[in-house]
Amino acid sequence: MAGGAPGGASKSEIYKGNGPKLLLPAWLFIGVFLVMPVAIMAIYSFLTKEFRGGVIWEFTLAAYDQFFLDRGLFGDEPPSIEWTYIGIFWRSIWQAGLATVLCLLIGFPTAWFIATRDVKARSVWLFLITVPYWVNLLIRTVSMKFLIRDTGPLNEFLLALGVIDTPLALVNTNFAVQLGLFYSYLPFMVLPIYAAVERYDFSMSEAAADLYASSWATLRLVILPVVKPGIVAGCILVFVPSLGAFLAPDLLGGAKTFMIGSLIEEQFKGAAGNWPFGAAASMILLTIVMGVLLVHARAQTKGER
Amino acid sequence: MADNAAPLTANAVEIDNVVKRYGFVTALHGVSMQIGDGEFFTLLGPSGCGKTTLLRCIAGFEDVSEGAIRLHGQDIAPLPPHKREVNTVFQQYALFPHMTVSQNTSFGLLRLGWSAADAEARAKQVLDLVQLGQFAERRPGQLSGGQQQRVALARALAPRPKVLLLDEPLSALDLKLRQAVRSELKAIQRETGIAFVFVTHDQEEALTMSDRIAVMSAGHVQQIGTPREIYEAPSNRFVADFIGETNLLDVTVSRVADGAAEILLPGGARLSCPAALGARVGQGHLSLRPERLGITISGQGQLQATVEDHVYLGTDTQLHMRLGSGEALVVRLQNGAGAIPERGARLGLEIEAGAARLLSD
């Protein structure tokens, strides 16, 4: 290679043959913080539960059996499909999906608004977006509960206006959980879309208009495809944590709004815990998430071609 | 090409007293011009002179504050950009990165309601015209700057606009490429017969490509004319200074009549020379083109000057000189024609026919 590094040796000479050595820190990091925890969970999901939490080193499929199959109260009936946990998963996916769509509908215009301000105003708006996140999520979720409870400011306000006669029962509903998820994860939608829109070259919109595209056609054919990576990143960043969230469903929801996050949390917390079952539920959740990401990655590479 | 372009029968664009204000700032002060059908028309001026603003007004990206813009006689001022039959080649190209070259090129056609097959055929035709036929399935990111520039041109030409607007399209290319693309662009303009409105700050580009040039400054049109008229008969001080190299001398004008003037030069010599419209008796500015000044031995010639420095430019040498009255002056001598005078030499200067012109302010 022409034009070597200042030391005389070119870059490629320094790197030659040392690739594996130089990658070691990265591999170590991934190994310790990603592969090992997941591997431990995967192994635990096949172990036998101990009565007061923890595991016994005997391999069994009991956790998965419990998740998918109903064998009656004493475990001696012919197996049928157990709908309880599948139902919880389905409700979680539905809630997380809805939260993602809501975040997108509110987050895209918000991000667009911020990205089209002048540079100084942008940093102020971005700062305002992140301000609530200096407060712990638990505190914010509890505050949300105070806000919407029967005697909370929202109901008081509506009662005072005369819009309603009796307080709206908002706490312990799907609506409350949805509100909590939406509120918790909205910035994760706004920030990646903001980054994409900020890089967007607005002369492309002018070019589209110049080439006879209406505003709607410009949005559909030029703007959305170009900022799509930001939208996809935002959707993943909202959907995935929403799916595993347990604070919002715990604090704002009730028994009828139980979500995966709470289910898993319960298995590891307290004496009633069942570690292998919690691990199995985690692995199933992980499989679903990986499946969604894989489908997306497939679609992406197909689009590139 | 005739020096005085034949009067063009139809006007592709008429700019009629257009004023553009941004708040308290006025970018265009009542600009008027007619651009003929099939004409290569250049808006030339320094940055901030309003040339790009005017182009954006024609394209519809800016509303005019006053005045009318007519396209083949029809007032287009109330129309949004996507309803105007003009297309633009953008300075940074603004190609759609997620579409292939072919999709970029047929974008406008599909919006106009062409069938997919017709649009594809037309895109292929235009891409062949700009010699990019074999790159139709590539994406803009896989092309060089010069190739991207051609895609931008093809995309804008495909819908056969009544006028093509070009906003400094060559400024992002390196010098070698820019010179090659210049003649190519001119050839494409002749071949398609579409009127081009070309914005540039580069006077060489303007002189080599244009049928006519409008020189603009500070939101005003300074002069409209063929490249030769603009260069040889600049109407005022700004045009003379902006186009090519020139020496501007403060002189005393004793008589102006019938486009000619009697002038008293610094140093006392008298000179008769052509005068621009609006030149007046009294104090005036004289333009002296450096390549049309001849050096003689001291004592001869209308001006006396001392050589302060020379700069070698390959084909020419530039002599930086100072007159007895203290004014600086540049003379260009062709290399190989004779010895170059030493620094400090006192010389006479002969003003050749066509070198001098009295300007209006």
Side-chain angles (χ1 to χ4, degrees):
Chain A
M1 236 178 94
S10 74
K11 270 186 186 172
S12 58
E13 272 170 51
I14 295 170
Y15 292 147
K16 203 190 291 169
N18 287 330
K21 251 188 273 174
L22 291 168
L23 281 174
L24 199 64
W27 282 120
L28 216 64
F29 189 88
I30 292 172
V32 172
F33 293 108
L34 183 77
V35 177
M36 272 174 49
V38 172
I40 290 170
M41 276 299 122
I43 293 166
Y44 271 36
S45 72
F46 293 105
L47 296 179
T48 308
K49 75 164 177 169
E50 178 139 44
F51 187 56
R52 293 189 175 279
V55 288
I56 300 167
W57 281 83
E58 275 168 36
F59 283 87
T60 165
L61 286 172
Y64 292 93
D65 190 281
Q66 184 188 348
F67 190 95
F68 289 111
L69 296 176
D70 177 7
R71 292 177 190 275
L73 197 55
F74 302 105
D76 50 2
E77 290 169 37
S80 59
I81 294 176
E82 167 69 76
W83 289 107
T84 312
Y85 304 117
I86 296 173
I88 291 171
F89 265 58
W90 176 242
R91 185 161 57 227
S92 302
I93 290 169
W94 194 84
Q95 283 276 28
L98 186 62
T100 308
V101 171
L102 287 178
C103 283
L104 181 60
L105 288 179
I106 302 293
F108 186 83
T110 308
W112 186 270
F113 172 85
I114 297 172
T116 50
R117 298 308 97 185
D118 66 56
V119 180
K120 262 189 196 161
R122 270 184 231 168
S123 44
V124 173
W125 283 109
L126 282 179
F127 175 70
L128 288 178
I129 289 278
T130 53
V131 160
Y133 295 82
W134 293 89
V135 177
N136 186 284
L137 179 61
L138 177 68
I139 309 291
R140 277 183 289 129
T141 310
V142 172
S143 315
M144 183 64 79
K145 187 170 188 165
F146 283 133
L147 206 65
I148 62 170
R149 67 182 171 173
D150 290 5
T151 54
L154 182 68
N155 273 314
E156 299 277 336
F157 179 68
L158 291 176
L159 283 170
L161 277 185
V163 182
I164 50 172
D165 299 325
T166 50
L168 296 172
L170 295 174
V171 178
N172 298 347
T173 61
N174 280 325
F175 172 80
V177 175
Q178 190 52 238
L179 191 68
L181 291 177
F182 168 76
Y183 171 65
S184 303
Y185 299 115
L186 183 60
F188 296 112
M189 185 64 85
V190 173
L191 295 176
I193 297 180
Y194 163 80
V197 175
E198 202 236 345
R199 278 196 310 268
Y200 178 76
D201 174 8
F202 282 86
S203 66
M204 284 196 280
S205 292
E206 287 188 346
D210 189 64
L211 293 161
Y212 315 108
S214 61
S215 314
W216 170 241
T218 302
L219 178 69
R220 194 167 51 89
L221 298 170
V222 179
I223 297 170
L224 287 181
V226 171
V227 303
K228 196 175 112 193
I231 294 175
V232 170
C235 287
I236 290 172
L237 287 179
V238 171
F239 181 78
V240 172
S242 295
L243 197 55
F246 59 87
L247 274 179
D250 267 9
L251 295 171
L252 298 169
K256 271 186 277 178
T257 59
F258 208 65
M259 284 175 65
I260 316 171
S262 312
L263 176 69
I264 295 171
E265 187 209 9
E266 230 174 41
Q267 305 311 318
F268 288 98
K269 225 174 63 181
N274 180 345
W275 287 18
F277 184 68
S282 298
M283 293 316 291
I284 293 163
L285 180 61
L286 185 66
T287 310
I288 293 171
V289 170
M290 293 306 284
V292 170
L293 293 183
L294 214 66
V295 167
H296 162 68
R298 275 277 166 76
Q300 192 83 337
T301 40
K302 215 175 245 175
E304 298 285 300
R305 242 178 271 139
Chain B
M1 194 73 242
D3 284 345
N4 291 307
L8 296 142
T9 45
N11 281 328
V13 186
E14 281 171 33
I15 313 285
D16 191 357
N17 214 11
V18 164
V19 175
K20 174 68 190 173
R21 289 186 210 95
Y22 297 98
F24 294 111
V25 182
T26 306
L28 296 171
H29 300 263
V31 168
S32 296
M33 58 187 75
Q34 279 88 41
I35 298 162
D37 220 357
E39 192 176 22
F40 197 121
F41 191 91
T42 298
L43 301 174
L44 174 66
S47 58
C49 73
K51 56 191 193 300
T52 297
T53 304
L54 181 58
L55 196 80
R56 292 174 61 80
C57 286
I58 301 172
F61 303 136
E62 308 279 356
D63 295 325
V64 300
S65 309
E66 278 172 42
I69 297 177
R70 282 183 283 274
L71 190 65
H72 284 194
Q74 185 209 355
D75 187 2
I76 56 169
L79 297 180
H82 70 273
K83 300 239 167 89
R84 299 186 182 196
E85 289 173 78
V86 298
N87 290 131
T88 308
V89 177
F90 290 84
Q91 188 168 8
Q92 303 297 333
Y93 317 142
L95 299 175
F96 306 130
H98 57 296
M99 297 182 196
T100 63
V101 167
S102 172
Q103 286 167 335
N104 264 284
T105 311
S106 55
F107 185 89
L109 303 172
L110 294 173
R111 302 285 82 67
L112 286 171
W114 289 41
S115 73
D118 288 352
E120 199 179 328
R122 170 68 180 157
K124 191 179 174 323
Q125 188 190 356
V126 186
L127 286 173
D128 285 339
L129 178 71
V130 299
Q131 296 163 25
L132 276 181
Q134 72 272 38
F135 297 107
E137 294 313 312
R138 299 258 185 105
R139 280 169 200 271
Q142 298 168 298
L143 301 180
S144 72
Q147 290 166 333
Q148 290 184 17
Q149 201 264 343
R150 289 153 192 254
V151 178
L153 183 63
R155 184 178 72 172
L157 281 172
R160 296 194 183 88
K162 286 178 176 164
V163 177
L164 188 76
L165 309 174
L166 302 101
D167 185 9
E168 308 222 13
L170 308 185
S171 63
L173 304 178
D174 58 56
L175 181 69
K176 255 281 171 38
L177 200 55
R178 201 152 63 213
Q179 285 169 341
V181 172
R182 246 185 236 166
S183 47
E184 224 172 281
L185 202 56
K186 180 75 190 164
I188 287 171
Q189 191 265 333
R190 277 204 207 101
E191 202 172 322
T192 56
I194 292 172
F196 276 28
V197 180
F198 185 91
V199 162
T200 184
H201 63 270
D202 182 331
Q203 42 123 343
E204 199 181 317
E205 248 169 55
L207 291 174
T208 52
M209 296 166 78
S210 316
D211 292 325
R212 283 192 307 150
I213 299 170
V215 182
M216 293 181 69
S217 157
H220 293 277
V221 172
Q222 300 294 334
Q223 188 174 4
I224 298 177
T226 63
R228 183 169 285 246
E229 284 165 1
I230 298 274
Y231 187 81
E232 297 192 356
S235 63
N236 60 33
R237 201 177 152 175
F238 176 83
V239 178
D241 200 24
F242 191 72
I243 307 286
E245 259 183 297
T246 199
N247 296 296
L248 288 174
L249 289 188
D250 291 329
V251 294
T252 311
V253 184
S254 53
R255 205 170 71 90
V256 179
D258 304 326
E262 295 284 338
I263 285 162
L264 192 64
L265 291 168
R270 292 191 170 279
L271 176 76
S272 350
C273 69
L277 214 65
R280 284 185 311 270
V281 171
Q283 287 301 308
H285 297 287
L286 186 73
S287 157
L288 290 174
R289 291 292 182 192
E291 73 277 14
R292 298 209 182 160
L293 294 173
I295 51 170
T296 62
I297 51 167
S298 189
Q300 290 181 327
Q302 295 101 318
L303 291 168
Q304 304 294 321
T306 312
V307 179
E308 292 199 319
D309 202 358
H310 27 72
V311 179
Y312 179 74
L313 296 173
T315 54
D316 299 329
T317 295
Q318 235 181 17
L319 294 184
H320 291 268
M321 310 184 78
R322 197 162 294 277
L323 297 179
S325 56
E327 287 167 293
L329 195 74
V330 173
V331 177
R332 241 177 207 264
L333 296 178
Q334 211 159 44
N335 286 329
I340 300 297
E342 289 298 310
R343 280 193 193 85
R346 260 188 80 74
L347 300 170
L349 291 177
E350 196 80 62
I351 298 170
E352 293 171 17
R357 184 174 170 83
L358 182 66
L359 304 171
S360 69
D361 277 317

